[in-house]
Amino acid sequence: MNKEYLKKIYDYLISNKIADKKQIDKVFKGSSKNGLDVFDVLVKKKIINKEDAVKIKANLLNIPFVDLKETVIDSSVLKEVPERAALFYKFIPFGKVDDSIKIAMVDPTNIDALDALKFISVKHNLNTKIYITSVSSFNIAVKQYRKFGEELESVLKNVDQQIIYKEKPQKKKKNTERILEEAPVAKIVDIIISHAIEGKASDIHIEPNENDLRVRYRLDGILHNTLVLPKRISAAVVSRIKILSNLKIDETRKPQDGRFRFSISSNESVVKSVDLRISTFPTVNGEKIVMRILDTSSDINSLENLGIWKRGLDVINKNISKPFGIVLVTGPTGSGKSTTLYAMLKILNKEGVNIVTLEDPVEYFMIGINQSQIQSEIGYTFSSGLRSILRQDPDIIMVGEIRDKETAELATHAALTGHLVLSTLHTNNAVGVIPRLIDMGIEPFLISSSLNVAIGQRLVKKICKHCKEEIKPSVGIKEIIKKELDKIPEDQKQDLNLKNGIRLFRGKGCSECKQSGASGRMGIYEVLSMTSGIEEKMSFKITENEIAKEVEKQGMITMKQDGIMKALLGFTTIEEVLRVAED
């Protein structure tokens, strides 16, 4: 250590009162006399611990500190730096954004390590952002190079041995199901699923390529590469999942859908059980599998916790308390429509009512509700099931999705004959519901009589509360926000603190959010209520623009406006809102 750096350390310890001056003077004299590192002496004397030593170094070097003990690093990020280099130079990649990669170093002053890092960054055409981490944190993080590798390497060897064994003619051919249950392939599938559940993924994509088998997890709506398996085990992995899902193993030409339950065990006791919805799809390179992870044991959120507030919440509560009519939730696949419907059912689920649902699949199990899963392969569809439900004396009906004219007509008929019907519809926004129903062949006067409310929604990433920081918005962003705020009624803006101007936030990135700056998701909503103004114009084929003008008069807040208010309140980022919200 040079004298200037030692003085910095000394001044820091004195000014922050880490220890008394005499004790610090003694440490510095002893370290200079024996040629020891000051921080090693401070740790040895138990004046500071190893983690604090690294944090002080980070502060003095003006390099951000990162704790990687709980961080799960994407395998695609780890590939940017070879394991040998990481172990030799004591640095590890832990995050990647566009063409920049985050590198945690044990010693950012190591010239050799910095030169090696420069070589790697030039080779891969990446910019590097340096962080400092402790030795213990690095040692835990570096194990992730072998997290999947060690677990799968021996399993893959066993797969190869089994293939050789099966090819020997003198051995008897076992039953396919028995082989796959006992084979290492079963272990591979277990590893893939358990890591996904532990990592809080919502979906698992198993995709065959020309030369390998790629596995990706969807986290907070974004797909991440997780691992690559040899192409030779592709068919065996698919067959194992098909067996678990009770699907036809020999049918590879057309898509199939199935479901099974998976339990994660710890110390021989089950800690969590989840349902997995399976979809197979034939591609030119083999069958692709997507597994949706459904945690049926989790509690159902309230409408407020989902992000429905103020006027939107009042309109929904008012309309679901009506004895009849249709409530429609709209949005793209994966936008949380079913979750919103379940939150409404939670409110409506009372002893005095008969609630019957038709779902594909049943995602949450609710006590007191009669839930039925459609099976299109035997002719049990939404339309045929809805006919049967009407003979079950229901008060409230939930139909998973209105997909065709027949289902739409039956839902409308049910609503007009004294039933409250909850369902979903695929449109871009709430305003598009009425034109969509008209396009399906429903008469405008029937829509005005039956439709209570239409809800449009999207999901946005929430800012990690552990690393949230305020940022200064650009002039362009300010103009967008002001333009939308001017359209929002004053009573809906009361919670916004705009006295000190427009304040926005972002997640800086920390170990809690795996350096992403985001943790979890929430909804942004728009809630359209059927009013007399819209009803008057329903005698002819009304357009989306005409409906949009009418709902602006009733004070409806659009998804974009709702998202902007949530960004101003610090729940999400303005970039995330503009990414998902439709103009």
Side-chain angles (χ1 to χ4, degrees):
M1 292 185 180
N2 60 46
K3 290 182 179 180
E4 187 180 342
Y5 185 46
L6 281 169
K7 187 177 184 308
K8 267 186 165 184
I9 299 171
Y10 182 85
D11 292 343
Y12 181 90
L13 295 172
I14 296 292
S15 61
N16 287 276
K17 299 178 181 178
I18 302 298
D20 62 73
K21 190 174 182 300
K22 286 183 180 179
Q23 197 175 13
I24 293 171
D25 286 339
K26 191 176 180 181
V27 167
F28 271 76
K29 284 179 183 178
S31 63
S32 60
K33 184 179 178 181
N34 300 310
L36 299 172
D37 185 289
V38 172
F39 288 108
D40 288 341
V41 179
L42 288 167
V43 171
K44 190 176 181 181
K45 297 281 186 183
K46 295 184 179 180
I47 296 171
I48 58 175
N49 59 39
K50 290 180 180 179
E51 292 291 320
D52 288 336
V54 179
K55 289 176 183 177
I56 293 170
K57 283 182 185 178
N59 191 291
L60 294 170
L61 295 169
N62 198 26
I63 297 173
F65 169 81
V66 63
D67 184 356
L68 299 175
K69 290 187 181 72
E70 302 294 330
T71 301
V72 178
I73 306 172
D74 195 304
S75 60
S76 64
V77 175
L78 288 173
K79 286 177 184 177
E80 299 294 348
V81 174
E83 183 182 0
R84 287 184 180 181
L87 289 166
F88 185 81
Y89 293 109
K90 296 288 188 295
F91 57 58
I92 186 169
F94 64 92
K96 190 177 179 183
V97 181
D98 298 326
D99 61 345
S100 294
I101 191 164
K102 297 177 180 179
I103 302 287
M105 302 184 72
V106 170
D107 182 9
T109 63
N110 185 327
I111 302 299
D112 291 336
L114 290 171
D115 286 342
L117 193 58
K118 186 177 180 181
F119 173 79
I120 291 169
S121 64
V122 171
K123 182 180 177 182
H124 295 276
N125 195 26
L126 291 168
N127 296 317
T128 54
K129 185 174 181 183
I130 304 298
Y131 291 75
I132 188 171
T133 192
S134 65
V135 173
S136 60
S137 182
F138 171 81
N139 289 338
I140 291 170
V142 82
K143 289 178 182 178
Q144 294 190 54
Y145 273 103
R146 301 185 183 185
K147 188 173 184 180
F148 273 120
E150 284 185 346
E151 234 172 331
L152 291 173
E153 190 174 353
S154 61
V155 177
L156 289 171
K157 283 180 182 177
N158 289 334
V159 171
D160 290 336
Q161 289 171 7
Q162 186 188 24
I163 290 169
I164 294 167
Y165 174 82
K166 285 168 69 180
E167 286 175 351
K168 291 180 180 179
Q170 67 271 25
K171 300 293 181 179
K172 286 185 178 180
K173 189 176 180 180
K174 293 184 179 180
N175 176 274
T176 307
E177 184 171 339
R178 183 179 174 83
I179 289 172
L180 286 169
E181 283 179 352
E182 295 177 353
V185 171
K187 178 66 174 173
I188 292 174
V189 173
D190 287 352
I191 292 168
I192 290 170
I193 296 172
S194 59
H195 278 292
I197 295 168
E198 288 166 3
K200 298 181 180 178
S202 61
D203 300 85
I204 305 168
H205 289 239
I206 300 176
E207 303 165 327
N209 296 319
E210 188 176 351
N211 300 312
D212 54 43
L213 184 69
R214 181 173 64 168
V215 178
R216 295 194 290 172
Y217 294 161
R218 189 178 292 280
L219 299 163
D220 291 334
I222 306 297
L223 278 172
H224 298 271
N225 288 327
T226 306
L227 72 152
V228 176
L229 296 169
K231 183 65 182 286
R232 64 181 181 274
I233 68 165
S234 177
V237 169
V238 170
S239 294
R240 173 61 181 162
I241 294 169
K242 282 183 172 182
I243 286 170
L244 292 170
S245 314
N246 291 319
L247 300 178
K248 295 177 182 177
I249 298 174
D250 57 347
E251 180 55 79
T252 60
R253 299 166 300 170
K254 63 182 182 181
Q256 296 185 71
D257 295 311
R259 184 174 182 146
F260 68 91
R261 175 158 286 196
F262 184 86
S263 298
I264 298 180
S265 299
S266 178
N267 298 325
E268 299 182 357
S269 62
V270 175
V271 294
K272 192 171 188 179
S273 291
V274 300
D275 280 4
L276 291 113
R277 186 179 73 191
I278 312 302
S279 173
T280 71
F281 185 76
T283 72
V284 292
N285 292 314
E287 286 185 279
K288 175 186 175 181
I289 286 184
V290 174
M291 294 188 271
R292 168 66 57 87
I293 299 171
L294 307 170
D295 188 357
T296 54
S297 63
S298 62
D299 291 333
I300 296 167
N301 275 315
S302 65
L303 291 172
E304 294 94 323
N305 287 340
L306 292 177
I308 304 175
W309 304 331
K310 294 186 176 288
R311 176 193 172 276
L313 183 62
D314 293 339
V315 170
I316 291 172
N317 284 331
K318 178 183 175 182
N319 281 283
I320 64 174
S321 64
K322 292 179 179 179
F324 58 88
I326 301 177
V327 175
L328 287 175
V329 183
T330 75
T333 302
S335 61
K337 300 187 295 296
S338 296
T339 303
T340 302
L341 288 180
Y342 280 114
M344 293 181 207
L345 288 178
K346 186 179 181 181
I347 298 169
L348 297 167
N349 188 14
K350 297 174 182 176
E351 189 178 342
V353 294
N354 177 22
I355 302 175
V356 187
T357 74
L358 269 177
E359 305 175 56
D360 182 26
V362 176
E363 296 189 20
Y364 299 92
F365 295 116
M366 297 183 71
I367 297 171
I369 292 179
N370 305 289
Q371 296 173 270
S372 181
Q373 183 164 319
I374 70 163
Q375 298 182 57
S376 54
E377 64 272 13
I378 60 170
Y380 184 42
T381 61
F382 282 123
S383 55
S384 64
L386 192 46
R387 281 197 192 88
S388 300
I389 283 179
L390 292 172
R391 294 192 288 272
Q392 288 285 314
D393 186 31
D395 298 297
I396 298 166
I397 302 167
M398 195 267 267
V399 181
E401 184 183 345
I402 294 177
R403 294 176 178 173
D404 50 46
K405 180 182 178 181
E406 188 178 8
T407 309
E409 286 177 339
L410 287 165
T412 305
H413 173 72
L416 293 172
T417 53
H419 305 90
L420 181 64
V421 181
L422 311 179
S423 191
T424 68
L425 191 70
H426 278 283
T427 63
N428 288 329
N429 49 39
V431 172
V433 166
I434 294 170
R436 175 70 178 134
L437 289 173
I438 293 172
D439 288 341
M440 279 183 160
I442 308 301
E443 294 293 338
F445 72 92
L446 291 175
I447 298 172
S448 62
S449 303
S450 60
L451 183 64
N452 287 355
V453 63
I455 304 160
Q457 69 178 77
R458 296 286 190 283
L459 291 177
V460 293
K461 294 179 186 177
K462 291 168 68 177
I463 296 172
C464 173
K465 62 183 179 181
H466 298 284
C467 61
K468 184 167 77 171
E469 63 177 7
E470 188 174 341
I471 58 170
K472 188 176 180 181
S474 66
V475 176
I477 291 294
K478 280 184 178 180
E479 289 177 358
I480 291 170
I481 292 172
K482 286 177 181 177
K483 182 181 176 182
E484 295 298 331
L485 287 176
D486 289 341
K487 301 174 187 176
I488 300 173
E490 290 300 320
D491 62 321
Q492 300 298 306
K493 296 187 287 186
Q494 291 175 354
D495 294 337
L496 303 180
N497 184 11
L498 300 173
K499 291 180 181 178
N500 298 321
I502 292 171
R503 300 172 65 215
L504 294 174
F505 304 85
R506 70 170 182 184
K508 189 177 180 181
C510 65
S511 59
E512 293 291 332
C513 63
K514 302 170 187 175
Q515 307 305 321
S516 67
S519 179
R521 290 187 291 175
M522 72 184 305
I524 56 173
Y525 298 86
E526 59 185 29
V527 182
L528 181 154
S529 178
M530 182 59 70
T531 61
S532 56
I534 297 174
E535 286 181 11
E536 287 172 9
K537 296 179 180 180
M538 290 292 287
S539 56
F540 54 91
K541 196 169 182 179
I542 191 168
T543 65
E544 282 194 35
N545 287 335
E546 289 170 323
I547 299 170
K549 289 176 183 177
E550 188 60 40
V551 296
E552 193 173 337
K553 292 178 185 176
Q554 67 173 248
M556 185 190 87
I557 295 169
T558 66
M559 280 185 280
K560 187 176 183 180
Q561 292 164 356
D562 186 41
I564 285 172
M565 288 197 290
K566 284 167 180 169
L568 292 171
L569 290 168
F571 289 101
T572 187
T573 64
I574 189 65
E575 291 81 10
E576 184 70 2
V577 172
L578 297 177
R579 180 181 71 84
V580 304
E582 296 288 340
D583 289 322

